[in-house]
Amino acid sequence: MKSSHKGFAEGTLFALNIFIIVLLIAGDSLVVPRWLQPVGRMHPLILHFPIVILMLAMVMEFFRYRAEFINEKLYQTFTSYLLLLGALLSSITVIMGLFLSREPGYEGDTLQWHKWFGVSVAFAGYGVYLIRHTSKYTVRLAKAGAIITVFCLIVAGHLGGNLTHGNDFVLAPVMDKSKNVVPIDQALVYNDVIRPIFEVKCQSCHNIDKKKGGLMLTDSAAIIKGGKTGKLFIAGDPAMSLLLQRVHLPENEKKHMPPTGKTQLTDDEKMLLYLWVKSKARFGKKVIDLPANDSLRMIAATRLKPAESEEEVYDFSAANEKEIQKLNNNYRVVYPLASESPALAVNIYNKSTYNVKVLEELNPVKKQVVSLDLNKMPVKDADLKTIAKFENLRRLNLNFSDVTGKGLKELAGLKYLKSISLTGVKLNIADVKQLIAIKSLNELAVWDSGLNLADLQSLQKQNPKLSLLTGFKDDGKALKLTSPQLKNTAVIFKQNYALQLSNPIKGADIRYTTDGSVPDSIKAASYKPGIILTRSTAIRTRAFKAGWIGSDTVQFNVYKCAYTPDSINFVKYPDDKYKGDGAKTIIDKELGGDNFGNGKWVASQKDLAVIMWFNKPIDLHSVGLNVMRNTGSQIFLPAGVEVWGGSDQNHLKLLSTLKTGAPKKSDPFVLTPLECKLKSEQKISCIKLVAQPLKSVPAWHPAKGRPGWVFLDEVFLN
C-alpha cells in the first residue's frame, strides 16, 4: 500500500508533466504575467538539486539488478524515492525554465537545444519511474533509461552553462589563448583589442541566444545599433556614453555592468573602452595607425605580440667588450643591438664636440656597427667617406645634418643599407637617385627636404618596393598645426610656476590667454620662455604659423597650493569602492584624471568630510577642491561645500560656504576646481572641509530620486 505522501507526489508529478506539455504546445503564444516572472527566475537557483538527485538515482538504477542489490529492500526503496524526488524537481525546474525563456533577451539555437534536452530529462526521468515496477522492465531497459537520462542531463547542463557564461566557459582555462594573439603590426583596434573584452566579460549576457536589455555584442552592426535603452556609446564622447557609464557605476548599483557575481573588468580594460570610444570607436583602424605615444596603442601593445620579424643573422663576430666600453663617453654611446647579438648601434650626440674623428675612433668596431644615429649633428659631405667604411651598416640617420645631396654617392657601396633618414636635408631629385641604386634600401625618409610631388612620384616609380617617408602629401592644401604641449611635469605648485609650452612644428607661434577666451594670432599674448605664474590659472593656448591652419585650442589647468597639512583624517568616510589611498589622496599633489576608477579619487553618496591639522598656524584666505562632474555616471558637483576653521578641532567656526546650481541634462563632463574664499584672512591651525553630494538626482536622470556621487581628488589651501 502506498503511503499518502508518495501518492501525492506521484499525482503532482503527473500534473506537472501534463502542464509541461501544455506549455510546449502554447509555444510563442505563451505570455508569462509579471507576477509569475520571479518563479521563472528561480530556474538557475533550484536546477542544481535535480541534477545531483537525478544523477545519483540513475546511477543506482543502473546497478539495481546486480545480485547484491536486487533483494536489498532498503536499496530498492531508497532508489524509488530518490527517483521520484529527482523527477519531481526536474519537472518543476523545466516549468520555471519555460517561464524564464519567455522573457525578453532569451532566444537563439542554444536556448532551443537547452529547452528540449531539459524537457527530455523530465520526461525520461518520469518514464523510468513509471515503468520500473512493471514486468516488462528488464536489466537492459534499466541501463538504457539511466544512460539516456544522464546523457540528456549533461547536455542540458552544458548548454545552460553556455547561455549563462558563454560558449567557451568550460574549456577556457585549458585553451591556449596565445594562439589567438596577433602581432601588433597586424592587429585591428576593435577586432584584436576591444572585441576580446566583450567576448570574455560581456557576451555571456549579450549574445545571439541571450540579448539582455535587447543588446548584442557579437558584431559591429549590433554594437552600433545598441539596445532597448539606446545607443551603447556616442563616438568621441565617452563621458556621455552608456557603455562607460554602466561599467563605472559602483558594483552595488543594479545597473552596474558586468553584474555582481560576474568577472569584473580590470582598470586597463575600462581604460581601453574609454580610449576606444574617445577615439571615435572605429572598427577598422589598425593599432599601428595610432601615434606611437597614444595611450590606447601603448596599453594595447601589452596585450599583443610584438611585430613579427625575421631575426637577422650576421656573418661577423662580436667586438671586444673592453673596446666597446672604451668607446662610450660623454658624446657617444655604443651598445649591442640585442642580447647576445654581435651587432652594435651607435648614437652620437653633443653637437659642440662633433667632428669626423668621432667617427674615425669607431674603426676598431666598424665591422660590427649596423646602426648609426647622427641626428642633428653637423655632418659634412666629406664625413660620408668615413661612414662608407662601416661595411655592415643597415640603418643611417642623417636628419637635419649639414650634408648636401652631392656627397650621397659615397654611400652607394653600402650593400646592406636598408634605411636612411634625410629629414630636413635639402635635396634634389638627382641627389636622391644615387641612393635608389642601393638594391638593399627599402626605407627612405625625405620629409622637409625640398622634393616636390613629381620628384617623389619619380622615385617611387623607379623603385616600387621603396617606402618613402615624406611626412605629408604636398597637394597645395594648408595643413593644420598640432596643438601646443605643456612640458612641465607637475601642475600643482606652492609659490611660483615657470610655464613651459612647446610645439613640435619648428617656428610655430604659441599664443595663450588666462581669462577663458579663445586665443587668436593677434590679440592673445605670445608665449616666450620665462613666464611665471603665481596663482591657480586656466591656460588656453593655440599654435599659429604662416601657411598653416591654426591648431585646436587646448587648455591646461595649473593649481597653486601654498600649504600642506601636517596631518589629515576623514571625519565622514568615503565609499569603500572609492577610498583611494586614504585621506592623504586629496593632499598628495597628484590629480586623479578623467578615469574615476583608477584609485586616485575619493567619493561618497553621503557627506564627505576631512579634518586637517597644522603644527603652526597658517594665514588662510581660500580653500579649493578639485571635483568631477560626469552626469551619465551619476557624478555631480557637490550641492554644497563648507569650510570650518579654528585653533583646534573643538573650536571650529564656519568660515565659508559654497552652493552650486541645480544640475542640467546638458551639463558636460568636467574636472573643475571649486574655490571657497574667506571673507578675511584667518590664522588657523585646524580646518574641516565638508563636501555635500546631491541628495536627489533630478527626474531627467535614469537614477532619479537616488543620491548623487561627489568625487574629490585634491584640496588646495592658499
Side-chain angles (χ1 to χ4, degrees), residues 219-237:
D219 60 81
S220 58
I223 292 171
I224 293 171
K225 180 182 177 183
K228 287 185 176 179
T229 52
K231 297 285 186 181
L232 188 61
F233 54 77
I234 298 173
D237 191 356

Side-chain angles (χ1 to χ4, degrees), residues 40 80 137 166 182 189 229 233 248 286 395 432 470 502 639 702:
S80 180
Y137 195 62
V182 299
V189 175
T229 52
F233 54 77
H248 281 296
K286 297 182 72 173
R395 286 168 292 279
V432 182
T470 61
S502 69

